[in-house]
Amino acid sequence: MENNNGTSHNNNKRIPFLVFFKDARLIFKLDALSREILGIAFPAALAVVADPIASLIDTTFIGHLGPVELAAAGVAIALFNQASRITIFPLVSITTSFVAEEDTIQNMNTKKTENDDTKLKQATVSKDHMVPDIENVEAPKQVTDESNNVVAKIVTGSMDTNNENEKVMTKRKQKVGKKIIASASTALLFGTILGLLQTAILSFAAKPLLYAMGLKHDSPMLDPAEKYLRLRSIGSPAVLLSLAMQGIFRGFKDTTTPLYVIVSGYAFNVLLDPILIFYMKLGLKGAAMAHIISQYLMATTLLLLLMRRVHLLPPSMKDLQIFRFLKNGGLLLIRVVSVTFCMTLAASLAARLGPIPMAAFQPGLQIWLASSLLADGLAVAVQTILASSFAEKDYKKATAAATRTLQMTFVLGIGLSFAVAVGLYFGAGIFSKNVTVVQLIKISMPFVAATQPINALAFVFDGVNYGANDFAYSAYSLARWELGQDHGTILEKDYDVIRDVMKKE
């Protein structure tokens, strides 16, 4: 293989595609590893896909207001999502890896402490058996008062030792319960700051940003899109805090708790949509208000649940990993900008074509996101398992988890292709009554469906890199790919992450 400069790579840099076939017979076997992967991936996937599904339902309700309202909401949502992803994905990805690593190390230290306590207790019991029963031993008459004092000191010393041991074990037991995870506190701090910053930017610069999206000053979409964007931006702090807390729970390998909260919150959103949009006749404003209320409800609930497990305030400000977050967050920021640039550019081009093409583009984009993000559940699983395995230096498990997850992902991608193709073709009519909009949605179907396997593998490769704390390469590779530079080398490097793990077995 040759790169753009015409130089060839070494033979040892060939892509090991055989990784997809290593222990492939175990793909459908529900062993301990598969149960762990699916136990994390399935709730995580449902939680991640809940947002696009809720947006899709919002889109369905808004679509019945008319094509102009649907197109205006599409432009505003695309812009809001662009701003959110720039901050969300770096924050959540870094938080998951750092919390998983920190929690694993803390659990290992706790087990070591418990073992030390057991040994200390056994040593204390053994020492107690060695102390004579002074009350039942009749002292010889030759024993002087001085000897009695010596014996009394020995017995008292033994009792003092027992008391000290009891105090030590009590203190250690008191430490078990709420955890002190510095990464969790740092994530919440960054989530709050970034959320407030996003609200300020989207509120005060709504119109210029919409102009940048391709809307003109005389466009019928401009006014409703501006009002929708400014109102929805109020929910930005809640969105970022909710996702930061999801990252914390993922680091604990608990994806079920956030799932219950998120599904409940978005169900409330769907319930509010027809009430606020149609019954109270608020239109687009009602759709934005329903989203805001549900987001703050979810953020509050997750915060209360998290407070039961983690001390949100660290012992000292020095414990906050601010510079570590900033360094790796800056690297992932490059990656996210590269990813979202394409989607934002596509939305901008659709908006320039007019309300009808934009109205057809929005449902296709939401379905593409919803189906693609199902693979993010597997990415979360492999990320947390790899981060924990590296902390425990269990490289054999890291290798098995990476290969098994990639195999599952490929199967999932093929299945999603068929599901999206059938669903989008026969269900296009639910998004609009306009015949032209429905026809354009059907035309987009092959592109949305065919990219599912590629999207799924891309998500999981990111999870592998994040689990190995290789944020720098993840950012570098995607930026080069977007610029069209040396795609072969990038694929090789992706597989090299797995190869390096294999060598450590």
Side-chain angles (χ1 to χ4, degrees), residues 180-199:
I180 300 175
I181 306 290
S183 302
S185 303
T186 311
L188 294 179
L189 176 64
F190 274 100
T192 303
I193 295 173
L194 293 172
L196 293 173
L197 184 62
Q198 182 176 314
T199 298

Side-chain angles (χ1 to χ4, degrees), residues 106 172-180 308-311:
Q106 194 171 115
R172 287 177 175 175
K173 287 178 181 178
Q174 288 175 349
K175 293 181 181 179
V176 179
K178 280 190 179 182
K179 297 182 178 181
I180 300 175
R308 297 180 181 179
R309 300 180 61 170
V310 180
H311 290 284

Side-chain angles (χ1 to χ4, degrees), residues 351-367:
R352 294 171 193 272
L353 294 174
I356 298 297
M358 186 62 210
F361 174 82
Q362 176 62 14
L365 177 62
Q366 291 300 326
I367 289 176

Side-chain angles (χ1 to χ4, degrees), residues 111-365:
K111 289 180 182 179
K112 184 179 179 182
T113 301
E114 290 175 353
N115 292 334
D116 291 343
D117 287 343
T118 303
K119 292 178 181 178
L120 183 62
K121 188 174 182 180
Q122 291 174 350
T124 302
V125 172
S126 301
K127 189 170 184 179
D128 288 341
H129 287 303
M130 294 175 64
V131 177
D133 190 353
I134 304 298
E135 294 181 357
N136 297 329
V137 176
E138 186 177 349
K141 295 181 180 180
Q142 294 88 348
V143 177
T144 61
D145 293 338
E146 184 176 355
S147 300
N148 288 331
N149 291 336
V150 173
V151 174
K153 288 180 180 180
I154 293 173
V155 176
T156 304
S158 175
M159 294 176 64
D160 290 341
T161 303
N162 293 340
N163 290 334
E164 289 297 323
N165 293 340
E166 291 285 344
K167 290 178 181 179
V168 170
M169 286 187 285
T170 302
K171 287 181 180 179
R172 287 177 175 175
K173 287 178 181 178
Q174 288 175 349
K175 293 181 181 179
V176 179
K178 280 190 179 182
K179 297 182 178 181
I180 300 175
I181 306 290
S183 302
S185 303
T186 311
L188 294 179
L189 176 64
F190 274 100
T192 303
I193 295 173
L194 293 172
L196 293 173
L197 184 62
Q198 182 176 314
T199 298
I201 293 173
L202 293 179
S203 296
F204 293 106
K207 187 169 286 187
L209 290 171
L210 289 170
Y211 285 150
M213 288 290 292
L215 297 186
K216 298 180 180 180
H217 68 279
D218 58 348
S219 172
M221 296 182 284
L222 181 60
D223 185 58
E226 182 183 356
K227 292 179 180 178
Y228 181 86
L229 181 61
R230 283 180 173 170
L231 186 57
R232 184 159 173 172
S233 67
I234 298 173
S236 295
V239 172
L240 284 165
L241 279 174
S242 295
L243 286 163
M245 287 184 279
Q246 286 183 54
I248 296 171
F249 279 106
R250 288 176 182 179
F252 293 142
K253 295 184 179 180
D254 179 6
T255 52
T256 304
T257 301
L259 173 63
Y260 292 146
V261 175
I262 291 165
V263 170
S264 301
Y266 281 124
F268 188 64
N269 184 4
V270 172
L271 182 65
L272 286 177
D273 271 334
I275 296 174
L276 297 177
I277 294 174
F278 302 113
Y279 182 75
M280 299 186 69
K281 299 180 180 180
L282 294 175
L284 277 181
K285 187 185 293 185
M289 290 175 63
H291 187 82
I292 293 169
I293 293 170
S294 65
Q295 288 295 336
Y296 276 101
L297 179 65
M298 287 187 285
T300 303
T301 306
L302 284 171
L303 184 62
L304 293 174
L305 293 172
L306 188 62
M307 288 172 64
R308 297 180 181 179
R309 300 180 61 170
V310 180
H311 290 284
L312 298 183
L313 294 177
S316 172
M317 291 298 292
K318 296 179 180 179
D319 295 324
L320 292 176
Q321 304 178 32
I322 293 177
F323 293 105
R324 191 183 181 198
F325 266 73
L326 286 174
K327 176 185 175 182
N328 292 286
L331 291 169
L332 286 188
L333 185 62
I334 300 171
R335 175 198 176 282
V336 175
V337 169
S338 299
V339 171
T340 55
F341 173 77
C342 292
M343 288 187 285
T344 307
L345 178 62
S348 176
L349 293 173
R352 294 171 193 272
L353 294 174
I356 298 297
M358 186 62 210
F361 174 82
Q362 176 62 14
L365 177 62

